[in-house]
Amino acid sequence: MLEAAIGTGLNLHLYPPGVHPTGIEWSPQTPALARRRAEGLGRAGDLREGDAQALPFPDASFDTVVYTLSLWAIPDDRRAIAEMRDCGGVSTIARLPGESLPGRGPLPLDHHCRGSPDRRPRPRRR
């Protein structure tokens, strides 16, 4: 699982037990804060500096890619979405409903959640 723009790791407590996410964050100081939070929760993972517009992972490296409240801060949001899709054939991208970009207004949900055309949706677990 990859969390793009993980920030200080505020979402780490929301992941199921046993999940040790990979996370990237543009700010060079912030991954250290996320690592400390992850260690405190027993969720050590690969949390590092990186750019959502040029993810440093091979295609299809992850089964899930998540981001929250971050598109407004990414200069080329469409490139970031494409990178996330390539990196994981995105099965999940989370955002707050109505999240908007400065000067653009709210983005429709399908802007964020178009799956890779060569992948079928995964069945839901019950």
Side-chain angles (χ1 to χ4, degrees):
M1 192 220 106
L2 170 66
E3 183 171 346
I6 195 166
T8 60
L10 289 175
N11 294 329
L12 290 169
H13 73 283
L14 299 173
Y15 297 127
V19 171
H20 300 279
T22 296
I24 58 105
E25 175 59 40
W26 181 78
S27 165
Q29 298 86 7
T30 309
L33 299 171
R35 279 192 294 278
R36 279 200 295 274
R37 186 179 306 262
E39 289 165 5
L41 293 168
R43 294 184 182 272
D46 179 7
L47 309 177
R48 61 171 115 159
E49 184 180 353
D51 185 348
Q53 300 166 112
L55 291 171
F57 308 105
D59 288 356
S61 295
F62 301 95
D63 61 0
T64 303
V65 179
V66 175
Y67 82 88
T68 56
L69 298 172
S70 56
L71 278 185
W72 65 271
I74 298 171
D76 188 346
D77 64 307
R78 293 178 192 278
R79 179 70 196 144
I81 293 294
E83 283 285 310
M84 288 184 239
R85 191 178 313 130
D86 291 347
C87 198
V90 176
S91 59
T92 303
I93 298 180
R95 69 173 179 88
L96 290 183
E99 181 181 359
S100 62
L101 296 172
R104 291 198 200 169
L107 294 170
L109 188 59
D110 68 352
H111 172 82
H112 303 282
C113 296
R114 281 176 272 192
S116 177
D118 59 341
R119 289 192 171 217
R120 294 176 175 231
R122 295 168 201 250
R124 291 183 156 223
R125 291 185 182 176
R126 294 180 191 242

